[in-house]
Amino acid sequence: MTQTAPDILRIAVAQLNPTVGDVAGNLAKAREARADAARQGADLVLYTELFLAGYPPEDLVLKPSFLRACEKAAQDFAKDTADGGPGVIIGTPLKRKSGTHNSIVFADGGKIIAERYKLDLPNYGEFDEKRVFQAGPELQGPVNFRGVRIGVPICEDIWGDIAVCETLAESGAEILLVPNGSPYYRAKIDVRHQVVIRQVIETGLPMIYANQLGGQDELIFDGASFAIGADKTLAFQMSQFEEAVDVTTWKRKGDSWVCSEGPMSKIPEREEADYRACMLGLRDYVNKNGFKNVVLGLSGGIDSAICAALAVDALGEERLRTVMMPYRYTSKDSLKDAEDCARALGCRYDIVPISEPVEGFKHALTQLFEGTQEGITEENLQSRARGTILMAISNKFGSMVVTTGNKSEMSVGYATLYGDMNGGFNPIKDLYKMQVYALSRWRNSHVPPGALGPSGEVIPKNIIDKAPSAELRENQTDQDSLPPYPVLDDILECLVENEMSVDDIVARGHDRATVTRVEHLLYIAEYKRRQAAPGVKITRKNFGRDRRYPITNRFRDRS
């Protein structure tokens, strides 16, 4: 019997937050979303890349039992479609004779009607798929779903140079549905839109782009799923940083499909997007790893203040303990500012003086240090005493330590190993100092959606206005050791994000001696960054996944 092609197709996009390795939990989440989509009248549900495994699964893919669990989940989910409800396209790793593939399973009527394998495996920046996957052996054509020919390229298949979409169009595809695991960085949505528009122009076909949501270690998947119609206009736009199962209605008009109904969500501006990315990353890292609460050192400075605000927004005031650890150089302003911040956020605030442990360390080292001048070593004893106290609280109460160093400090080594670098996760690791200030001002005027913290000024104005200081010696400010932060941040962005030469940076108006000094500090701090806690990726090039420099490195740009 010839199947009559429908004139209306209702496609649900499941923009969900899976957990890597939680195959049973991810399957349950997929089933719940399918039931939701069915209630909304969907014909088909599109899930995201490697949904059943969680993305990116990294070397879990090398474990045979993990692959078996994923495939069984896919088979069980396919059986669910025997109920006459919507079909499904869901991502999973599959081991076949041709290798282990990043795949999708297309199921309908109680069985798997097609498998498709990713052809273009990304191997740059945060991606390392060629290490664990093999590319699909050949491009397979569109899938006939209830009379509609659907092409399913997988993520990088639309980003790279392989003509996957064009070939699908030539093979008779009528619409392209793309499961993705595209991590967030600032302004990434615009990049995705341009990638899809290019493919729409080349194929003449509408494209639905479904993107994963949630935090996975350093990576943030921000959702913001969307579609571009054949006329190259935005057909629908889903929310960013929020789970959703949205049903979109597509109608056949001539030889094309047009979206007649779908969400059109507003995308957050820069500061809001960055703040919500940091908040989501911290929340998922804490919750997915099973921590009940967190603790951080609240110094009265801007970095610890914004981390406290992020923790309360992400987890709630009852799950954050803050600790002020004063020493002789701690100013009265810092004591007041820290207390005011904790009070504004409503979180627990403790004071643990560090005079005795610091003096004890100094006394123990008196003989060894005899005849030397006091300096950075003694200053760092303060930081390490604080780090030890926070780790003791962590061990005693099971609280994860939130570490609070910004990207400017991490870049030039202005942080103490086994001191203020102690911790399990850093929500501002990829924010330069001036970005920390910008987000702090933004948070004082806004409460982001989903935040559990209060409205109003949660970061006291004095913290934002005063000169930043580590307060490890009398009258110390950061600018005693570093260039002014606006200058430092611009130089660092040139060196790190843009890989610019010293000459090009000097041509922007910077002092050559300052640029070469910052470059030197950047290189020699690599060993510290290798030992730092993971943290949310916000920029195009974060430390760790994106920027991998050798620790032993004598190169300096002196051309």
Side-chain angles (χ1 to χ4, degrees):
M1 181 181 293
T2 303
Q3 190 172 30
T4 303
D7 292 325
I8 296 178
L9 189 64
R10 293 182 175 90
I11 303 172
V13 177
Q15 179 176 290
L16 304 174
N17 188 344
T19 298
V20 167
D22 186 8
V23 180
N26 295 340
L27 175 57
K29 187 177 282 285
R31 282 173 162 158
E32 183 180 354
R34 180 174 179 268
D36 185 5
R39 287 189 292 270
Q40 297 183 60
D43 300 304
L44 177 65
V45 186
L46 173 64
Y47 297 84
T48 54
E49 184 175 14
L50 291 179
F51 183 86
L52 292 172
Y55 187 81
E58 302 188 70
D59 282 13
L60 276 174
V61 172
L62 303 178
K63 197 171 186 66
S65 58
F66 178 70
L67 293 175
R68 287 194 295 270
C70 291
E71 180 156 10
K72 183 178 185 303
Q75 292 169 346
D76 290 346
F77 196 32
K79 293 174 184 175
D80 292 353
T81 63
D83 62 4
V88 298
I89 299 172
I90 194 162
T92 185
L94 292 175
K95 187 172 181 62
R96 296 293 181 257
K97 290 182 180 180
S98 51
T100 300
H101 302 299
N102 180 335
S103 314
I104 63 96
V105 164
F106 205 138
D108 191 34
K111 62 183 180 180
I112 295 172
I113 60 174
E115 296 174 0
R116 293 293 182 265
Y117 314 126
K118 191 173 184 178
L119 291 172
D120 197 352
L121 301 178
N123 202 54
Y124 57 85
E126 64 266 34
F127 301 111
D128 199 11
E129 288 195 24
K130 288 184 179 179
R131 187 169 182 272
V132 295
F133 288 114
Q134 286 74 51
E138 60 184 12
L139 176 61
Q140 296 170 293
V143 179
N144 188 327
F145 172 74
R146 304 181 185 180
V148 181
R149 296 185 301 278
I150 296 175
V152 192
I154 302 173
C155 199
E156 192 72 15
D157 288 344
I158 74 169
W159 288 72
D161 296 328
I162 300 176
V164 176
C165 296
E166 190 176 350
T167 304
L168 285 168
E170 292 170 353
S171 302
E174 300 173 57
I175 187 170
L176 300 174
L177 275 57
V178 191
N180 295 271
S182 177
Y184 173 83
Y185 61 70
R186 194 174 294 121
K188 183 72 171 289
I189 290 178
D190 292 338
V191 177
R192 295 181 192 134
H193 283 189
Q194 290 305 311
V195 167
V196 172
I197 287 171
R198 187 188 76 221
Q199 295 292 356
V200 169
I201 291 171
E202 290 182 0
T203 63
L205 300 178
M207 178 179 286
I208 299 177
Y209 185 105
N211 194 34
Q212 181 175 303
L213 182 86
Q216 173 57 30
D217 299 341
E218 302 100 322
L219 300 180
I220 304 302
F221 297 91
D222 56 311
S225 305
F226 66 97
I228 301 293
D231 62 356
K232 302 179 285 296
T233 64
L234 187 65
F236 70 80
Q237 175 66 67
M238 292 175 65
S239 60
Q240 193 176 24
F241 305 112
E242 297 173 353
E243 280 194 299
V245 178
D246 286 336
V247 174
T248 65
T249 301
W250 295 78
K251 295 183 177 179
R252 187 189 297 275
K253 288 194 176 180
D255 295 331
S256 187
W257 288 89
V258 176
C259 183
S260 64
E261 186 178 354
M264 198 59 75
S265 299
K266 183 180 178 182
I267 296 300
E269 298 294 334
R270 174 171 169 156
E271 279 77 21
E272 179 182 348
D274 286 353
Y275 191 93
R276 292 176 68 181
C278 293
M279 189 175 78
L280 176 60
L282 178 60
R283 176 183 289 157
D284 275 1
Y285 191 87
V286 171
N287 290 341
K288 289 181 178 181
N289 285 292
F291 294 104
K292 293 181 179 179
N293 45 52
V294 298
V295 59
L296 63 82
L298 196 62
S299 68
I302 189 74
D303 296 325
S304 62
I306 195 172
C307 286
L310 283 163
V312 169
D313 284 341
L315 306 169
E317 62 186 47
E318 72 282 357
R319 296 179 68 186
L320 171 65
R321 177 200 293 248
T322 62
V323 186
M324 159 56 87
M325 293 166 282
Y327 188 57
R328 67 178 68 165
Y329 303 121
T330 303
S331 68
K332 292 181 180 179
D333 276 352
S334 291
L335 284 164
K336 182 179 186 303
D337 291 341
E339 184 177 0
D340 288 348
C341 183
R343 184 182 294 112
L345 290 166
C347 59
R348 178 169 176 169
Y349 177 70
D350 296 312
I351 298 177
V352 181
I354 64 168
S355 294
E356 288 189 17
V358 172
E359 297 307 318
F361 281 129
K362 287 184 177 180
H363 180 73
L365 293 165
T366 298
Q367 187 173 350
L368 286 176
F369 287 2
E370 186 177 359
T372 65
Q373 295 291 319
E374 282 203 7
I376 292 176
T377 299
E378 287 73 19
E379 292 177 12
N380 285 344
L381 287 175
Q382 300 167 49
S383 179
R384 292 192 172 113
R386 291 179 174 119
T388 299
I389 289 168
L390 290 174
M391 291 308 301
I393 293 170
S394 173
N395 291 158
K396 178 64 71 174
F397 300 108
S399 306
M400 188 198 78
V401 178
V402 174
T403 185
T404 62
N406 61 69
K407 190 171 187 176
S408 305
E409 295 173 353
M410 298 301 297
S411 296
V412 296
Y414 196 65
T416 305
L417 272 175
Y418 325 121
D420 56 309
M421 288 179 65
N422 279 2
F425 193 76
N426 183 350
I428 65 168
K429 182 180 179 180
D430 202 30
L431 289 174
Y432 289 112
K433 188 76 168 187
M434 299 310 297
Q435 292 166 352
V436 170
Y437 280 110
L439 264 61
S440 297
R441 294 187 185 97
W442 179 86
R443 178 58 182 88
N444 277 348
S445 301
H446 304 82
V447 180
L452 302 176
S455 59
E457 186 181 275
V458 295
I459 300 174
K461 186 174 184 296
N462 193 55
I463 289 179
I464 296 174
D465 291 344
K466 69 184 179 182
S469 171
E471 294 192 327
L472 299 177
R473 62 177 181 269
E474 201 70 46
N475 299 319
Q476 182 188 32
T477 66
D478 290 1
Q479 287 183 204
D480 297 339
S481 306
L482 300 172
Y485 279 114
V487 174
L488 177 63
D489 287 359
D490 189 66
I491 293 172
L492 287 171
E493 190 165 354
C494 291
L495 289 168
V496 176
E497 267 73 49
N498 299 317
E499 297 287 2
M500 290 171 62
S501 69
V502 168
D503 285 346
D504 288 341
I505 300 171
V506 170
R508 288 171 62 88
H510 292 293
D511 172 68
R512 182 175 293 275
T514 301
V515 175
T516 56
R517 176 170 170 260
V518 171
E519 181 205 39
H520 177 70
L521 292 172
L522 175 66
Y523 285 154
I524 65 172
E526 186 64 37
Y527 79 101
K528 287 188 178 182
R529 292 190 289 272
R530 293 286 184 94
Q531 300 178 67
V536 176
K537 172 182 164 66
I538 294 293
T539 65
R540 287 184 297 107
K541 190 174 288 188
N542 75 334
F543 292 121
R545 283 186 176 268
D546 296 325
R547 187 183 188 276
R548 307 177 192 181
Y549 267 61
I551 296 174
T552 304
N553 171 25
R554 289 190 178 181
F555 176 77
R556 299 295 183 270
D557 183 2
R558 299 296 180 264
S559 58

